[in-house]
mmCIF file of all heavy atoms in Angstrom:
data_model
loop_
_atom_site.group_PDB
_atom_site.id
_atom_site.type_symbol
_atom_site.label_atom_id
_atom_site.label_comp_id
_atom_site.label_asym_id
_atom_site.label_seq_id
_atom_site.Cartn_x
_atom_site.Cartn_y
_atom_site.Cartn_z
ATOM 1 N N ILE A 1 99.797 -12.032 -38.371
ATOM 2 C CA ILE A 1 99.028 -13.269 -38.407
ATOM 3 C C ILE A 1 99.084 -13.844 -37.026
ATOM 4 O O ILE A 1 100.071 -13.936 -36.435
ATOM 5 C CB ILE A 1 99.766 -14.425 -39.423
ATOM 6 C CG1 ILE A 1 99.825 -13.742 -40.800
ATOM 7 C CG2 ILE A 1 98.888 -15.672 -39.388
ATOM 8 C CD1 ILE A 1 100.626 -14.469 -41.723
ATOM 9 N N VAL A 2 97.799 -14.074 -36.503
ATOM 10 C CA VAL A 2 97.685 -14.558 -35.100
ATOM 11 C C VAL A 2 96.921 -15.868 -35.078
ATOM 12 O O VAL A 2 96.052 -16.026 -35.792
ATOM 13 C CB VAL A 2 96.759 -13.453 -34.415
ATOM 14 C CG1 VAL A 2 96.675 -13.876 -32.903
ATOM 15 C CG2 VAL A 2 97.487 -12.162 -34.479
ATOM 16 N N ARG A 3 97.489 -16.822 -34.341
ATOM 17 C CA ARG A 3 96.844 -18.140 -34.213
ATOM 18 C C ARG A 3 96.565 -18.263 -32.616
ATOM 19 O O ARG A 3 97.389 -18.205 -31.779
ATOM 20 C CB ARG A 3 97.749 -19.214 -34.654
ATOM 21 C CG ARG A 3 97.070 -20.588 -34.350
ATOM 22 C CD ARG A 3 97.707 -21.756 -34.928
ATOM 23 N NE ARG A 3 98.942 -21.803 -34.346
ATOM 24 C CZ ARG A 3 99.961 -22.725 -34.785
ATOM 25 N NH1 ARG A 3 99.716 -23.529 -35.628
ATOM 26 N NH2 ARG A 3 101.021 -22.843 -34.022
ATOM 27 N N ASP A 4 95.296 -18.348 -32.377
ATOM 28 C CA ASP A 4 94.798 -18.589 -30.884
ATOM 29 C C ASP A 4 95.442 -17.486 -29.891
ATOM 30 O O ASP A 4 95.846 -17.840 -28.889
ATOM 31 C CB ASP A 4 95.124 -19.960 -30.468
ATOM 32 C CG ASP A 4 94.302 -20.995 -31.115
ATOM 33 O OD1 ASP A 4 93.149 -20.700 -31.686
ATOM 34 O OD2 ASP A 4 94.878 -22.117 -31.272
ATOM 35 N N GLY A 5 95.452 -16.218 -30.441
ATOM 36 C CA GLY A 5 95.971 -15.145 -29.615
ATOM 37 C C GLY A 5 97.451 -14.932 -29.599
ATOM 38 O O GLY A 5 98.075 -14.174 -28.968
ATOM 39 N N THR A 6 98.227 -15.884 -30.289
ATOM 40 C CA THR A 6 99.628 -15.712 -30.421
ATOM 41 C C THR A 6 100.156 -15.301 -31.748
ATOM 42 O O THR A 6 99.683 -15.782 -32.753
ATOM 43 C CB THR A 6 100.336 -17.101 -30.073
ATOM 44 O OG1 THR A 6 99.856 -17.494 -28.623
ATOM 45 C CG2 THR A 6 101.789 -17.008 -30.098
ATOM 46 N N VAL A 7 101.025 -14.321 -31.837
ATOM 47 C CA VAL A 7 101.614 -13.875 -33.122
ATOM 48 C C VAL A 7 102.454 -14.983 -33.733
ATOM 49 O O VAL A 7 103.265 -15.591 -32.965
ATOM 50 C CB VAL A 7 102.466 -12.570 -32.957
ATOM 51 C CG1 VAL A 7 103.076 -12.290 -34.186
ATOM 52 C CG2 VAL A 7 101.516 -11.552 -32.500
ATOM 53 N N VAL A 8 102.186 -15.402 -34.966
ATOM 54 C CA VAL A 8 102.856 -16.497 -35.654
ATOM 55 C C VAL A 8 103.393 -16.067 -36.942
ATOM 56 O O VAL A 8 103.995 -16.873 -37.630
ATOM 57 C CB VAL A 8 102.012 -17.739 -35.651
ATOM 58 C CG1 VAL A 8 101.830 -18.392 -34.379
ATOM 59 C CG2 VAL A 8 100.754 -17.496 -36.448
ATOM 60 N N GLY A 9 102.982 -14.807 -37.429
ATOM 61 C CA GLY A 9 103.531 -14.382 -38.752
ATOM 62 C C GLY A 9 103.203 -12.890 -38.992
ATOM 63 O O GLY A 9 102.628 -12.231 -38.159
ATOM 64 N N PHE A 10 103.709 -12.469 -40.085
ATOM 65 C CA PHE A 10 103.675 -11.074 -40.415
ATOM 66 C C PHE A 10 103.827 -10.900 -42.040
ATOM 67 O O PHE A 10 104.504 -11.685 -42.619
ATOM 68 C CB PHE A 10 104.878 -10.368 -39.637
ATOM 69 C CG PHE A 10 105.163 -8.938 -40.192
ATOM 70 C CD1 PHE A 10 104.443 -7.927 -39.555
ATOM 71 C CD2 PHE A 10 106.031 -8.573 -41.001
ATOM 72 C CE1 PHE A 10 104.561 -6.623 -39.763
ATOM 73 C CE2 PHE A 10 106.361 -7.330 -41.325
ATOM 74 C CZ PHE A 10 105.585 -6.237 -40.776
ATOM 75 N N PHE A 11 103.129 -9.894 -42.573
ATOM 76 C CA PHE A 11 103.456 -9.457 -43.962
ATOM 77 C C PHE A 11 102.988 -8.097 -44.125
ATOM 78 O O PHE A 11 102.370 -7.416 -43.224
ATOM 79 C CB PHE A 11 102.733 -10.375 -44.872
ATOM 80 C CG PHE A 11 101.182 -10.346 -44.842
ATOM 81 C CD1 PHE A 11 100.400 -9.494 -45.559
ATOM 82 C CD2 PHE A 11 100.563 -11.279 -44.064
ATOM 83 C CE1 PHE A 11 99.108 -9.395 -45.512
ATOM 84 C CE2 PHE A 11 99.137 -11.362 -43.898
ATOM 85 C CZ PHE A 11 98.409 -10.487 -44.710
ATOM 86 N N GLN A 12 103.344 -7.507 -45.233
ATOM 87 C CA GLN A 12 102.941 -6.163 -45.572
ATOM 88 C C GLN A 12 102.202 -6.137 -46.841
ATOM 89 O O GLN A 12 102.499 -6.833 -47.847
ATOM 90 C CB GLN A 12 104.120 -5.223 -45.664
ATOM 91 C CG GLN A 12 104.745 -5.001 -44.291
ATOM 92 C CD GLN A 12 105.969 -4.114 -44.343
ATOM 93 O OE1 GLN A 12 106.648 -4.063 -45.299
ATOM 94 N NE2 GLN A 12 106.349 -3.382 -43.190
ATOM 95 N N LEU A 13 101.244 -5.256 -47.019
ATOM 96 C CA LEU A 13 100.533 -4.947 -48.338
ATOM 97 C C LEU A 13 101.054 -3.676 -48.783
ATOM 98 O O LEU A 13 101.162 -2.683 -48.062
ATOM 99 C CB LEU A 13 99.072 -4.921 -48.108
ATOM 100 C CG LEU A 13 98.376 -6.218 -47.492
ATOM 101 C CD1 LEU A 13 96.994 -5.963 -47.262
ATOM 102 C CD2 LEU A 13 98.634 -7.268 -48.570
ATOM 103 N N ASP A 14 101.392 -3.546 -50.037
ATOM 104 C CA ASP A 14 101.969 -2.378 -50.635
ATOM 105 C C ASP A 14 101.216 -1.852 -51.803
ATOM 106 O O ASP A 14 100.951 -2.745 -52.754
ATOM 107 C CB ASP A 14 103.453 -2.676 -51.119
ATOM 108 C CG ASP A 14 104.296 -1.543 -51.485
ATOM 109 O OD1 ASP A 14 103.639 -0.456 -51.935
ATOM 110 O OD2 ASP A 14 105.500 -1.564 -51.434
ATOM 111 N N THR A 15 100.640 -0.626 -51.665
ATOM 112 C CA THR A 15 99.775 -0.053 -52.740
ATOM 113 C C THR A 15 100.490 0.247 -53.949
ATOM 114 O O THR A 15 99.831 0.333 -54.896
ATOM 115 C CB THR A 15 99.011 0.988 -52.010
ATOM 116 O OG1 THR A 15 99.881 2.057 -51.668
ATOM 117 C CG2 THR A 15 98.067 0.624 -51.034
ATOM 118 N N ARG A 16 101.807 0.153 -53.793
ATOM 119 C CA ARG A 16 102.522 0.463 -55.127
ATOM 120 C C ARG A 16 103.000 -0.829 -55.839
ATOM 121 O O ARG A 16 103.719 -0.738 -56.793
ATOM 122 C CB ARG A 16 103.755 1.197 -54.806
ATOM 123 C CG ARG A 16 103.595 2.583 -54.322
ATOM 124 C CD ARG A 16 104.906 3.056 -53.759
ATOM 125 N NE ARG A 16 105.426 2.053 -52.982
ATOM 126 C CZ ARG A 16 106.249 2.414 -51.845
ATOM 127 N NH1 ARG A 16 106.454 3.615 -51.514
ATOM 128 N NH2 ARG A 16 106.705 1.431 -51.110
ATOM 129 N N SER A 17 102.468 -2.010 -55.420
ATOM 130 C CA SER A 17 102.868 -3.312 -55.966
ATOM 131 C C SER A 17 104.136 -3.605 -55.380
ATOM 132 O O SER A 17 104.470 -3.216 -54.272
ATOM 133 C CB SER A 17 102.915 -3.331 -57.448
ATOM 134 O OG SER A 17 103.052 -4.670 -57.996
ATOM 135 N N VAL A 18 105.014 -4.301 -56.040
ATOM 136 C CA VAL A 18 106.312 -4.761 -55.647
ATOM 137 C C VAL A 18 107.346 -4.736 -56.913
ATOM 138 O O VAL A 18 106.900 -4.835 -58.071
ATOM 139 C CB VAL A 18 106.323 -6.202 -55.144
ATOM 140 C CG1 VAL A 18 105.561 -6.177 -53.748
ATOM 141 C CG2 VAL A 18 105.834 -7.223 -55.905
ATOM 142 N N PRO A 19 108.558 -4.431 -56.694
ATOM 143 C CA PRO A 19 109.478 -4.532 -57.808
ATOM 144 C C PRO A 19 109.320 -5.722 -58.764
ATOM 145 O O PRO A 19 109.284 -6.779 -58.263
ATOM 146 C CB PRO A 19 110.814 -4.439 -57.151
ATOM 147 C CG PRO A 19 110.639 -3.822 -55.773
ATOM 148 C CD PRO A 19 109.255 -4.324 -55.439
ATOM 149 N N GLY A 20 109.343 -5.448 -60.114
ATOM 150 C CA GLY A 20 109.183 -6.451 -61.026
ATOM 151 C C GLY A 20 107.904 -6.899 -61.320
ATOM 152 O O GLY A 20 107.641 -7.754 -62.138
ATOM 153 N N ALA A 21 106.817 -6.433 -60.545
ATOM 154 C CA ALA A 21 105.413 -6.778 -60.839
ATOM 155 C C ALA A 21 104.644 -5.693 -61.426
ATOM 156 O O ALA A 21 105.201 -4.379 -61.294
ATOM 157 C CB ALA A 21 104.815 -7.208 -59.587
ATOM 158 N N PRO A 22 103.693 -5.928 -62.141
ATOM 159 C CA PRO A 22 102.765 -4.711 -62.634
ATOM 160 C C PRO A 22 102.272 -3.799 -61.517
ATOM 161 O O PRO A 22 102.201 -4.311 -60.386
ATOM 162 C CB PRO A 22 101.598 -5.508 -63.142
ATOM 163 C CG PRO A 22 102.005 -6.861 -63.402
ATOM 164 C CD PRO A 22 102.982 -7.258 -62.462
ATOM 165 N N ALA A 23 102.209 -2.558 -61.892
ATOM 166 C CA ALA A 23 101.697 -1.675 -60.855
ATOM 167 C C ALA A 23 100.336 -0.946 -61.472
ATOM 168 O O ALA A 23 100.453 -0.475 -62.661
ATOM 169 C CB ALA A 23 102.725 -0.605 -60.543
ATOM 170 N N ALA A 24 99.350 -0.840 -60.796
ATOM 171 C CA ALA A 24 98.151 -0.185 -61.151
ATOM 172 C C ALA A 24 97.364 0.287 -59.821
ATOM 173 O O ALA A 24 97.695 -0.373 -58.885
ATOM 174 C CB ALA A 24 97.278 -0.912 -62.101
ATOM 175 N N ALA A 25 96.312 1.046 -59.999
ATOM 176 C CA ALA A 25 95.598 1.425 -58.924
ATOM 177 C C ALA A 25 94.885 0.268 -58.194
ATOM 178 O O ALA A 25 94.602 0.313 -56.976
ATOM 179 C CB ALA A 25 94.572 2.460 -59.376
#
């Protein structure tokens, strides 16, 4: 996550979902 050229955040997307959540294509 970038605001005005400065890094201010981060996250990841996981194609397997996440533990405890439904998983599907």
